[in-house]
Amino acid sequence: MSAAGDGSGRMVEIRGLSKSFGDLEVLSGIDVTVEAGEVVCVIGPSGSGKSTLLRCVNMLEVPTAGSVHVSGVELTHRDVDIDAARRMIGMVFQQFNLFGHLSVMDNVTIAQRRVLRRTKGEAERIGRENLAKVGVAEKESSYPPQLSGGQQQRVAIARALSMNPEVMLFDEPTSALDPELVGDVLGAMRQLAEEGMTMLVVTHEMQFAREVADRVLFMDEGMLVEQGPPSQVIADPRHERTRTFLARVLNPTHAGE
Amino acid sequence: MAGMNSPATVGKTRSSGLPGSARFSPRRRRQISQAVQYTLFVAVALTLVLVADWERVQRGFFDGTSAASMFPELITVAMKNTVIFTITGYVLGFALGLVVALMRLSSAAPNRIVALVFIEVFRGLPALLVFILIGFGLPIAFPGFSLPFGIYGTVALALGLVAAAYLAETFRAGIQAVPRGQMEAARSLGMSYSRAMVTIVVPQAIRIVIPPLTNELILLFKDSSLVFALGLTAATTELTKLGRDVSIEFATSTPLLLAGATYLVITVPLGYAVRRLEARQAKERR
């Protein structure tokens, strides 16, 4: 895939990133690098700023300070063509955000045709390929409200993939799903990771992070508390805050202790 | 009156003692209350029937000669023109209203101000005044200038301006009702703001506001009668004008009644369609 590019180098480089909403500082001085082909999971309590960090990577939130480079392009530069830059960054949202007035096939082809100017035939061929890859090929003529949450999220993944992104961002992709539907979505993401896609994933799925991530970042109160391979951050965290968080997440019935 | 009497009666009966000691059961009381209402209703109707001079009523409202004289112009000219005035005004108002709504939501302040002033002005002015301004004001202010299609162009512009102000607010509400995630998803796929608006947000917004959009079309049907202020010829006459002219000619209200019925032939099915759409949307949302 084009994702890995030359197989080396920095795909995402975040330097000194800060973001405030009014007086509220959500992110303070974050530095993160994601190598090409790497899968990085971001974990942390709600309100820790992980979603905001992800949304700053494709400028859905404009950072207050700091810089973001993706595939060598500085997105925080004032003269950047943000629409062109976003084409190389796929994003999957917690609430799926499929286009409700369009069929599944139109969902995965509309940006290909309107943005990349692909022909209808080519867009449909690529769309069909990606729908098949995430296991919803038979739904191409359905409309989003007719699909389960798990199917909708997989269509959303196929929609992002159809733009041939160099990196994929996942913003809590399974948090809005019924538990029995989580597996299908995580399976599609796992397959994507195995194909070498560069992925930055905000998630509460510790099992997924443990098994798929190359690196795990733990965030709390707008800061990057610790990072490292899952075997370290999840299995043997160094910081007290990480330990407290993991104890609560991995053993929710003992949360009060 | 009947409706106001009965609850008082019921209350009085109830306060007269314990539930068991009441003279009438609740069911019986309800029956009595209904009987009183129906009796009053029948009494009023009977009085009207007896007092009215039926010959005069017939001459005033159900006069065959004047009614017959309206055909076929009622349909071939008047109704046709009313429909043309309304549809052209609506199409113009729809396009202009959408543009104004997008300007109203623009991040550029001048756009927002222009849109706001436009909405306030044309929503606040009486439609009749707008008609006269466009029909007589424009030709005086710009002597060489005339709108295309004669009276049709003038009416389309006047109705369009009035409709646009209302439609702009309707569209704005619809656009704001589309979840923010739709715009974000479109932008994340590399669409520009305007591309995302046109391709993703506006189509969904219009679906949401189809019922109020149809209501505005009904209102416009009625407003199209204001064109009388511009003076119409036999060829450009519309329903209200034709009804009035024939009414005066035959000294009876029958033509007005017939013209009114013709409006209803158009607007009642439209109203029914709106209710159907609303019911369908309510079902989908559940």
Side-chain angles (χ1 to χ4, degrees), chain A residues 55 58 60 82-83 86 89 91 93 97-101 110-111 114-115 117 159 163, chain B residues 180-193 195 199-201 203-204 207:
Chain A
R55 291 162 60 85
N58 69 351
L60 282 183
I82 194 66
D83 298 328
R86 280 184 179 134
I89 309 169
M91 183 154 192
F93 300 84
N97 295 349
L98 290 184
F99 305 135
H101 63 305
I110 188 132
R114 298 276 187 271
V115 177
R117 300 279 162 206
R159 177 175 70 177
M163 300 295 286
Chain B
R180 220 167 57 119
Q182 295 289 306
M183 175 57 89
E184 288 183 348
R187 295 304 304 272
S188 79
L189 290 165
M191 291 189 200
S192 66
Y193 174 86
R195 165 57 70 195
T199 320
I200 304 301
V201 178
Q204 298 188 70
R207 266 161 210 239

Side-chain angles (χ1 to χ4, degrees), chain B residues 188-228:
Chain B
S188 79
L189 290 165
M191 291 189 200
S192 66
Y193 174 86
S194 6
R195 165 57 70 195
M197 259 299 169
V198 169
T199 320
I200 304 301
V201 178
V202 168
Q204 298 188 70
I206 290 178
R207 266 161 210 239
I208 295 171
V209 294
I210 279 177
L213 288 181
T214 317
N215 274 326
E216 182 60 30
L217 179 60
I218 294 175
L219 290 177
L220 221 56
F221 262 109
K222 304 191 295 179
D223 280 350
S224 71
S225 66
L226 295 170
V227 67
F228 82 88

Side-chain angles (χ1 to χ4, degrees), chain A residues 27-84:
Chain A
L27 296 174
S28 34
I30 304 273
D31 296 303
V32 174
T33 305
V34 182
E35 305 290 328
E38 201 182 15
V39 177
V40 174
C41 283
V42 187
I43 62 172
S46 55
S48 58
K50 28 187 217 309
S51 281
T52 307
L53 173 68
L54 200 72
R55 291 162 60 85
C56 279
V57 174
N58 69 351
M59 294 292 120
L60 282 183
E61 301 291 353
V62 180
T64 315
S67 69
V68 176
H69 287 78
V70 176
S71 194
V73 177
E74 186 187 347
L75 275 73
T76 37
H77 194 280
R78 50 196 279 269
D79 293 333
V80 76
D81 178 353
I82 194 66
D83 298 328

